[in-house]
Amino acid sequence: MPVSDSTHASQAVAFDPQKIRFVLARTSHPGNIGAAARAIRTMGFARLALVAPHKFPHADATAMAAGADDVLDSVVVVPTLTEAIADCSLVFGCTARRRGVSLPEIAPREGAMRAHAHAGEIAVVFGNERTGLENEELMRCHYAVHIPADPTYSSLNLAQAVQVLAYELRLAQIQALPAAASEPKSDPPATVEQMEHFFGHLFQTLDDIDFHKGRSPTTIEQRLRRLFAHANLDQREVRILRGIFDDAQRMARAAKERG
Ligand code: SAH
């Protein structure tokens, strides 16, 4: 039962399939797009976003959608992952194998429970058929979701991976699984876009206070991204931290002016 208003009641959030979007990044085969549309439609979902698909629209997509035309008709096509998930506050990146990115790795069932307990917009992101998700893309996600397949042959067909995730999300909805230990917060969770501004501010502040002292900032920036991804900041917490950064920047400027 879709709920049109997006209030962030912290208790017993009605699970709204509309708050979940499935995002396919750089899909090569249009048939997989159609099959993914069918997969999400059968599980009661409707929102599909495509990041720079190689071929779309395409007859193979329509054929494989097998009647899930409403999903295909309302597909959103965007050039970058950042645009596809800008307003989301919980993002799952689905990976067939472990990457160098140190994200918490969970199975679809835990992901579905977390989605169920979450009040804001949610994205479930899938990679290209051959190359999967790039590290840059995974770094935009809060969790890496891995379907615990046979480790010697763990890569599912893209649309079948979409089906597994959609099924688990559906199951969580039907069974109303107990909410994962998600904090009842009164402020809406920070969105990806707000977190990107937050990180920009944080990294600039580190520069201003000469935190790096000539060392490369890359490693520490990755660690800080990871740390704050775990923290699941709400919008008020982001404002408080950015207030602290403002003050630190002001002090650094004053110290510089004093020489
Ligand atoms: N060769 C690629 C496989 C890509 S399969 C790789 O090793 O990454 C296409 C997409 O399907 C993946 O990017 C992922 O989003 C999803 N997928 C396939 N198998 C999966 C699995 N076992 N767990 C989670 N997602 C999977």
Side-chain angles (χ1 to χ4, degrees):
M1 163 200 53
V3 179
S4 55
D5 85 7
S6 59
T7 46
H8 294 276
S10 54
Q11 308 295 324
V13 180
F15 186 81
D16 175 8
Q18 280 294 339
K19 75 183 183 180
I20 299 190
R21 79 194 62 172
F22 291 77
V23 180
L24 308 185
R26 296 167 289 101
T27 309
S28 300
H29 301 295
N32 278 335
I33 296 174
R38 180 178 186 175
I40 71 172
R41 181 70 179 78
T42 55
M43 294 299 124
F45 299 98
R47 295 177 66 192
L48 183 61
L50 306 176
V51 177
H54 294 196
K55 292 178 204 152
F56 187 82
H58 193 280
D60 290 352
T62 312
M64 290 300 283
D69 298 335
D70 43 352
V71 177
L72 276 194
D73 290 345
S74 55
V75 151
V76 175
V77 182
V78 288
T80 64
L81 178 61
T82 310
E83 282 162 84
I85 61 175
D87 59 332
C88 294
S89 44
L90 180 59
V91 182
F92 298 103
C94 298
T95 59
R97 58 193 156 99
R98 295 185 155 220
R99 298 292 160 109
V101 176
S102 40
L103 271 184
E105 189 183 291
I106 58 175
R109 193 150 299 179
E110 186 186 340
M113 286 170 66
R114 289 186 180 276
H116 198 265
H118 188 77
E121 291 281 316
I122 300 166
V124 190
V125 185
F126 299 84
N128 169 269
E129 291 91 333
R130 201 173 50 79
T131 54
L133 286 173
E134 288 167 0
N135 283 345
E136 268 295 301
E137 292 170 328
L138 269 175
M139 274 171 57
R140 300 278 171 275
C141 302
H142 298 99
Y143 294 96
V145 177
H146 177 69
I147 300 163
D150 184 334
T152 62
Y153 193 77
S154 65
S155 177
L156 279 74
N157 162 267
L158 170 60
Q160 291 175 347
V162 171
Q163 186 75 74
V164 171
L165 266 291
Y167 170 71
E168 287 293 347
L169 287 159
R170 172 102 177 147
L171 200 61
Q173 176 191 0
I174 291 170
Q175 298 181 335
L177 293 171
S182 98
E183 40 345 320
K185 282 182 170 175
S186 48
D187 254 55
T191 67
V192 167
E193 191 172 34
Q194 287 162 343
M195 287 309 290
E196 282 310 305
H197 290 145
F198 167 85
F199 284 123
H201 197 173
L202 169 60
F203 299 155
Q204 182 58 50
T205 306
L206 293 183
D207 221 28
D208 293 350
I209 64 174
D210 192 26
F211 180 78
H212 303 302
K213 303 185 182 55
R215 294 177 306 242
S216 157
T218 317
T219 312
I220 189 80
E221 286 185 2
Q222 278 180 4
R223 282 191 177 267
L224 287 168
R225 271 187 182 275
R226 186 177 158 210
L227 186 153
F228 284 108
H230 288 194
N232 292 324
L233 298 180
D234 67 31
Q235 299 188 5
R236 180 149 191 268
E237 290 164 339
V238 167
R239 281 199 299 278
I240 293 169
L241 287 166
R242 292 195 61 178
I244 295 173
F245 302 160
D246 281 336
D247 281 357
Q249 287 178 308
R250 192 169 44 74
M251 300 287 279
R253 264 197 310 275
K256 236 185 218 144
E257 277 158 19
R258 280 199 303 274

